[in-house]
Amino acid sequence: VDQEISVTEVLNTFYERIDQVDDSVRAYVSLTRDEAYQRAGEDLTGSLAGIPLAIKDNMSTEGIKTTCSSNILNNYRPPYDATVVKKLKEAGAIMLGKANMDEFAMGSSTENSGFFKTHNPWNLDHAPGGSSGGSAAAVAAGEAAGALGSDTGGSIRQPAAYCGVVGLKPTYGNVSRYGLVAFASSLDQIGPITKDVKDSAILLNAITGHDPMDSTSVKIDKPDYTEFIKEDVKGLKIGLPEEYFSLEINSEVKESVLTAVKKMEEAGAIVEEVSLPSAEYALAAYYIIAPAEASSNLARYDGVRYGFRSEQASNVSEMFTTTRNQGFGDEVKRRIMLGTYVLSSGYYDAYYLKAQKVRTLIKEDFDKLFKEYDLLISPTTPTTAFKLGEMSDPLEMYQMDIFTVPINIAGIPAISLPSGFDSAGLPIGLQIMGPHFGEGKILQAAYTLE
Ligand code: GLN
């Protein structure tokens, strides 16, 4: 029997689920119930008609609070929609609410949110990963049909891995960053977090495409990514970067990824060990380049133009400092200090310029490999989700990005998909990397593995 269910009924189901579980998961910073039900009454058409989604709270939504989970933006309502938000609306999607994140997307656990921590739905004592932890947790807990996250050094893929969902970081320039609150502009990219690979392709279709409002958005013919949703890896050449597997990684994670790789071999793929010699410098380069760009991007939060302004000041320059001092959390301050330091005259050549040179080497390493190989495979993260509060040393937290950061440095696309569970019942993530604009191939391999 053909049974239609109305968009309002769909929304009821999702908001009921949110009411049931979000007190313990805490995926959402704000819910947009009224707007959602109002849209449900409209005539929605498009590839995502009536599909309820969570949007990371660093994407601008017209008239709706966009906080970046920071106290400095706690009351900021953008006067316009980010291009991705506009595109989702045009495709008929409905926003359920804005998802929690590490403040300004700086972190790997969502513990750096200025408001509250998000919990991993598989085990509430564990972190959901970050910085798009709210988006990944919402999808994993059934609190959204899909979500958007942003990824500067792993923030889509790492939480997707920890939460057992699919997260795709597109090629730099494939998705418009217009309206995405900038963290590190040369690395930031928006992408889908979904339950499965097919949904990932559908969401990606809706958000890609050239945008004149973003000068780094690339003009290319837009493929239909759902055409790659077929099981076929015959003849595909896959490289396993040996540097990634020889590092100290959890043995269950390694085992699970190697088992998946074997499955691909059985399906006809050719798998070989390869070398990415510059990979070991990626993390060091990232934690110079990202804070440098962040320190510049965050200069705009001065108490004048956006959101929060401290009342405890007697003159303008005191107002700047107290606003920033009270508005930013510790990690954001740490990045601003790191960033201004590496950009300061006298240190610029030694740190920033050096990091940019390393960046070129990393990109060349990948380019070379992709002349010979279609895709590369690695674990997404060295371990499964750690416990909330366990990672007290920021440097230890930075290590969580070791497999994801090189991809942003090179600007290439990569997906994280579930590859099983560890003995504690926590999800394991596998990462597939491809050449620039190789999202189609990545999706096809991921779909075959799923
Ligand atoms: N965890 C990394 C950082 O803290 C990456 C964050 C991200 O991708 N936004 O910078």
Side-chain angles (χ1 to χ4, degrees), residues 45-369:
T45 53
S47 59
L48 297 171
I51 303 294
L53 304 174
I55 307 293
K56 188 177 182 179
D57 208 21
N58 60 352
M59 294 171 215
S60 300
T61 42
E62 188 183 342
I64 291 166
K65 266 205 242 172
T66 300
T67 67
C68 288
S69 291
S70 178
N71 284 304
I72 214 157
L73 284 177
N74 67 1
N75 253 323
Y76 172 58
R77 290 173 195 271
Y80 67 102
D81 278 332
T83 297
V84 286
V85 171
K86 197 171 136 230
K87 280 178 177 279
L88 288 181
K89 274 187 186 166
E90 283 162 9
I94 300 185
M95 180 167 78
L96 292 165
K98 304 292 293 280
N100 196 21
M101 54 186 281
D102 285 301
E103 184 176 4
F104 284 104
M106 298 172 187
S108 307
S109 68
T110 317
E111 290 168 291
N112 293 339
S113 165
F115 307 145
F116 49 80
K117 295 176 173 76
T118 297
H119 298 254
N120 191 313
W122 293 93
N123 182 332
L124 296 172
D125 294 333
H126 287 251
S131 64
S132 312
S135 300
V139 175
E143 296 181 71
L148 289 189
S150 69
D151 192 314
T152 306
S155 280
I156 288 176
R157 291 159 288 154
Q158 186 254 17
Y162 282 6
C163 290
V165 293
V166 176
L168 173 67
K169 191 220 71 101
T171 306
Y172 185 78
N174 199 2
V175 178
S176 168
R177 292 180 297 109
Y178 180 68
L180 170 70
V181 180
F183 163 11
S185 317
S186 78
L187 302 160
D188 297 341
Q189 195 59 195
I190 295 169
I193 297 180
T194 52
K195 280 237 186 274
D196 61 27
V197 176
K198 188 174 177 194
D199 285 354
S200 187
I202 294 171
L203 258 188
L204 189 64
N205 267 352
I207 60 173
T208 48
H210 175 68
D211 178 11
M213 300 303 280
D214 172 3
S215 62
T216 61
S217 150
V218 176
K219 253 189 199 152
I220 49 153
D221 281 337
K222 209 178 128 142
D224 175 1
Y225 292 106
T226 59
E227 279 175 11
F228 293 92
I229 298 302
K230 52 188 177 205
E231 280 192 32
D232 183 13
V233 290
K234 219 170 257 137
L236 214 62
K237 276 194 87 177
I238 291 170
L240 301 182
E242 55 174 359
E243 288 82 359
Y244 279 25
F245 287 89
S246 58
L247 283 168
E248 230 182 85
I249 55 176
N250 175 300
S251 58
E252 289 180 312
V253 171
K254 188 168 167 176
E255 215 39 56
S256 165
V257 171
L258 290 176
T259 307
V261 168
K262 214 165 260 142
K263 214 176 108 186
M264 290 197 100
E265 245 178 334
E266 282 159 15
I270 304 149
V271 182
E272 284 169 12
E273 245 188 36
V274 299
S275 176
L276 261 176
S278 61
E280 65 170 305
Y281 306 111
L283 211 54
Y286 173 85
Y287 277 100
I288 289 173
I289 295 168
E293 293 184 20
S295 70
S296 164
N297 276 326
L298 268 57
R300 72 191 71 177
Y301 306 107
D302 53 11
V304 177
R305 283 169 282 193
Y306 300 92
F308 169 75
R309 172 185 297 176
S310 171
E311 300 293 334
Q312 293 144 278
S314 50
N315 59 48
V316 172
S317 81
E318 218 176 280
M319 191 276 286
F320 289 168
T321 30
T322 45
T323 296
R324 288 169 69 81
N325 194 21
Q326 293 166 5
F328 289 137
D330 286 349
E331 185 60 30
V332 175
K333 286 177 185 159
R334 187 176 296 120
R335 306 276 177 119
I336 292 173
M337 286 190 282
L338 272 173
T340 41
Y341 180 80
V342 300
L343 288 177
S344 56
S345 82
Y347 294 106
Y348 182 91
D349 288 3
Y351 293 107
Y352 187 70
L353 206 63
K354 201 46 151 306
Q356 292 292 15
K357 287 179 181 165
V358 172
R359 182 173 196 170
T360 304
L361 293 178
I362 294 167
K363 189 181 163 290
E364 284 171 359
D365 264 9
F366 277 111
D367 286 349
K368 213 161 84 196
L369 282 180

